């Protein structure tokens, strides 16, 4: 085959005929992949002919002047060795689900072929996607010719961690000089679909005074963040220090 066509032009060898008296006609018939027939009169040689892909049987029949006949056959085999032309979907970025994978659609490759109207399209990936995956698509025609192309699939995590703040807390002053407290206030916790241990931080590590709203933040390895607030109330339980005057008379 040539690119873009599903046939081949073949130069056939003409048969050699003879007869003790005279030859009246030479005819031929093609069956199989290519169907055709010559005129039923005169001397007909095939010469150069366009044969379809597959196996064609050519039968020549020679007839003499007394209407005696003899036949001989040969086959012409045309094979398709041209692979399909395949086009991959564009590289794509898709988002994770709660399991840190993605089952979103990535599109489908397309293909054309000189002989097969609808080549079979497959790829080498099964199941959900994670991280960066190179998907190899393949097109195969009816003759078994194949071609491939690659598509890059990138999965990004856009799901924020789930953060839980410590309960609101009341703590006591423990510094007699500036009426503040350095007592612990607890720590937020967080879970994430992709990061087993999100980073926990807050905007105020103390010391605390009065009523303070502490904002806690959880950040996963993809940079997604979530926050929650904890109210910290500081109460003063330290009694005043009093000094009496000296006893007096």
């Amino acid at each position: 085959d040539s690119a873009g066509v599903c046939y081949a032009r073949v130069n056939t060898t003409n048969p050699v005929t003879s007869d003790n008296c005279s030859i009246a006609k030479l005819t031929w018939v093609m069956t199989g992949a290519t169907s055709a027939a010559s005129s039923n009169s005169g001397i007909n040689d095939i010469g150069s002919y366009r044969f379809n892909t597959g196996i064609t049987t050519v039968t020549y029949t020679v007839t003499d002047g007394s209407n005696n006949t003899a036949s001989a056959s040969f086959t012409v085999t045309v094979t398709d060795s041209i692979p399909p032309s395949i086009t991959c979907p564009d590289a794509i970025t898709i988002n994770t689900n709660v399991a840190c994978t993605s089952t979103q659609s990535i599109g489908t490759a397309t293909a054309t072929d000189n002989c097969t109207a609808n080549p079979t399209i497959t790829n080498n990936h099964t199941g959900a996607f994670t991280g960066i995956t190179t998907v190899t698509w393949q097109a195969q025609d009816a003759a078994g010719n194949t071609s491939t192309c690659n598509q890059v699939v990138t999965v990004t995590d856009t799901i924020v961690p789930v953060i839980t703040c410590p309960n609101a807390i009341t703590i006591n002053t423990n510094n007699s000089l500036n009426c503040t407290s350095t007592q612990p206030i607890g720590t937020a916790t967080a879970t994430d679909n992709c990061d087993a241990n999100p980073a926990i931080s807050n905007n105020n590590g103390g010391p605390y005074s009065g009523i303070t709203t502490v904002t806690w933040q959880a950040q996963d390895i993809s940079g997604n963040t979530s926050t929650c607030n904890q109210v910290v109330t500081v109460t003063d339980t330290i009694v005043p220090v009093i000094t009496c005057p000296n006893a007096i008379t």
Side-chain angles (χ1 to χ4, degrees):
D1 283 10
S2 298
V5 298
C6 192
Y7 57 82
R9 183 162 292 279
V10 178
N11 294 318
T12 65
T13 301
N14 296 327
V16 177
T17 61
S18 63
D19 187 72
N20 63 324
C21 292
S22 64
I23 293 176
K25 62 180 180 178
L26 176 66
T27 60
W28 54 261
V29 174
M30 296 181 189
T31 59
T34 307
S35 296
S38 69
S39 168
N40 197 36
S41 62
I43 303 301
N44 299 278
D45 290 319
I46 295 173
S48 178
Y49 199 87
R50 193 180 79 176
F51 288 86
N52 295 329
T53 298
I55 300 173
T56 299
T57 300
V58 179
T59 302
Y60 272 102
T61 300
V62 62
T63 305
D64 66 14
S66 299
N67 211 34
N68 299 306
T69 62
S71 296
S73 298
F74 64 95
T75 59
V76 176
T77 302
V78 176
T79 58
D80 173 23
S81 58
I82 300 175
S85 175
I86 188 171
T87 302
C88 263
D90 291 334
I92 191 173
T93 298
I94 55 180
N95 296 327
T96 58
N97 54 27
V98 294
C100 199
T101 61
S102 182
T103 56
Q104 291 182 22
S105 172
I106 63 169
T108 302
T110 58
T112 57
D113 187 69
N114 61 317
C115 291
T116 303
N118 296 294
T120 300
I121 304 292
T122 57
N123 70 45
N124 67 338
H125 186 84
T126 58
F129 295 94
T130 60
I132 298 175
T133 303
T134 298
V135 177
T136 300
W137 291 89
Q138 175 179 277
Q140 179 171 309
D141 64 18
N145 301 303
T146 61
S147 57
T148 60
C149 62
N150 292 325
Q151 175 192 21
V152 176
V153 178
T154 303
V155 177
T156 59
D157 174 24
T158 59
I159 299 177
V160 300
V162 176
I163 188 170
T164 302
C165 264
N167 292 329
I169 190 172
T170 298
I171 54 178
N172 297 327
T173 56
N174 60 3
N175 190 324
S176 60
L177 296 179
N178 57 12
C179 196
T180 62
S181 179
T182 57
Q183 289 183 17
I185 62 171
T187 303
T189 59
T191 58
D192 186 69
N193 63 319
C194 293
D195 188 348
N197 297 292
I200 303 294
S201 60
N202 70 42
N203 67 338
N204 191 332
Y208 303 98
S209 62
I211 298 175
T212 303
T213 298
V214 177
T215 299
W216 291 89
Q217 177 180 274
Q219 179 171 307
D220 65 21
I221 55 175
S222 297
N224 302 303
T225 61
S226 58
T227 60
C228 62
N229 293 324
Q230 176 193 20
V231 176
V232 177
T233 302
V234 177
T235 61
D236 176 20
T237 59
I238 299 176
V239 299
V241 177
I242 186 171
T243 302
C244 277
N246 293 331
I248 190 171
T249 301

